[in-house]
Amino acid sequence: MIRIDILSVVPELLESPLSHSIVKRASDKGLAEIYVHNIREYGRGAYRQVDDYPFGGEAGMVLMIEPIFNIITKLKAERDYDEVIYMTPDGEMLDQPMANRLSCKRNMIILCGHYKGVDHRVRENLVTMEVSIGNYVLSGGEIPAAALVDSIVRLIPGAIGDEMSALSDSFQDELLAPPVYTRPADFNGWRVPDVLLSGNPKLIDEWRERESLERTKKLRPSLLKGED
Ligand code: ADE
């Protein structure tokens, strides 16, 4: 059982990705417990203020430390957390080994930034790990958090119907997955490779390995050189 607490000022953005498909199935099966907390509920005053102008006068707003500190302190009083992760474009790049590592944890908090980001003291004092999903800037950390959660939860044994399936994903053995086909074997003259229809498991395995290697050489040569 893995527990993930996500902190956000726009929790609505996380509703759909967490309530369908594999993540939903993993929650229903009791393999993962995922909670979304609205940072605004911990905001100050009648307006539940959660952001403010940056010191030094720059454009944009910054998420305040106090509401975030209050939620994290409350959660930490209830259980121990292995990681407090902040989603940010300047974090460590999410890749399959990172997802594998995180899928072995028990409890984690994921903080989604917004606007200009969070007061840097949150990152200095409360966050244990910073994660990026790529070298581009999104409007907030929710979509990155949904990507991270999906990449982790699908790896929990039992989350995917066929237990072997996550192991044969692209990147799991530093190779891209081979192509897949389904019926019909011939669609308007576009044929499925004969070997897949041969019924010969040895030939099929060899074909898949060859295709994986060829596709990796062509599309992601850096994986073979161990650069990624
Ligand atoms: N927040 C905004 N852009 C992001 C990115 N690329 N990765 C993680 N968090 C982000």
Side-chain angles (χ1 to χ4, degrees):
M1 159 68 82
I2 198 165
R3 174 178 172 127
I4 304 177
D5 290 274
I6 310 178
L7 320 183
S8 163
V9 286
V10 201
E12 298 82 5
L13 278 174
L14 287 155
E15 270 166 23
S16 178
L18 298 179
S19 50
H20 296 283
S21 186
I22 289 165
V23 178
K24 161 91 162 35
R25 177 140 34 105
S27 308
D28 289 348
K29 281 188 178 173
L31 301 171
E33 263 179 52
I34 302 168
Y35 298 93
V36 181
H37 306 269
N38 189 346
I39 296 173
R40 194 162 290 283
E41 284 173 20
Y42 295 75
R44 240 212 202 161
Y47 293 106
R48 300 259 167 237
Q49 186 184 1
V50 292
D51 56 346
D52 210 337
Y53 295 98
F55 281 123
E58 231 213 296
M61 301 293 273
V62 176
L63 284 180
M64 300 160 76
I65 189 167
E66 194 180 326
I68 294 169
F69 177 84
N70 287 342
I71 310 188
I72 292 179
T73 304
K74 175 173 169 273
L75 289 171
K76 280 185 175 169
E78 292 163 3
R79 68 196 64 74
D80 288 333
Y81 283 90
D82 302 302
E83 299 287 356
V84 178
I85 300 171
Y86 176 53
M87 303 308 302
T88 174
D90 54 16
E92 187 185 340
M93 203 69 77
L94 172 61
D95 59 8
Q96 196 60 50
M98 186 197 286
N100 293 347
R101 266 193 324 273
L102 290 174
S103 74
C104 301
K105 306 272 182 191
R106 275 172 310 122
N107 303 323
M108 62 190 109
I109 293 173
I110 302 179
L111 171 63
C112 306
H114 243 270
Y115 319 114
K116 277 264 138 211
V118 292
D119 186 310
H120 205 68
R121 288 168 291 184
V122 171
R123 300 173 67 169
E124 290 167 334
N125 299 293
L126 302 174
V127 164
T128 61
M129 187 176 172
E130 302 191 324
V131 176
S132 166
I133 64 160
N135 286 335
Y136 44 84
V137 177
L138 298 174
S139 312
E142 286 75 13
I143 291 170
L148 177 62
V149 168
D150 190 296
S151 75
I152 294 170
V153 168
R154 64 193 303 286
L155 295 172
I156 303 171
I160 314 198
D162 174 359
E163 291 257 342
M164 288 305 289
S165 158
L167 293 178
S168 59
D169 285 342
S170 279
F171 306 109
Q172 273 306 10
D173 49 7
E174 257 119 51
L175 290 176
L176 300 183
V180 291
Y181 300 86
T182 185
R183 288 183 293 178
D186 185 331
F187 179 75
N188 291 347
W190 297 332
R191 289 186 45 78
V192 168
D194 285 333
V195 61
L196 294 180
L197 311 174
S198 69
N200 183 330
K202 186 163 173 285
L203 283 183
I204 294 174
D205 274 353
E206 283 169 4
W207 178 85
R208 288 196 173 128
E209 274 172 35
R210 214 166 39 244
E211 286 290 323
S212 275
L213 197 56
E214 286 308 310
R215 286 173 59 73
T216 311
K217 271 190 204 156
K218 191 164 153 230
L219 302 171
R220 291 283 194 286
S222 58
L223 285 177
L224 293 172
K225 294 184 207 130
E227 288 169 10
D228 274 353

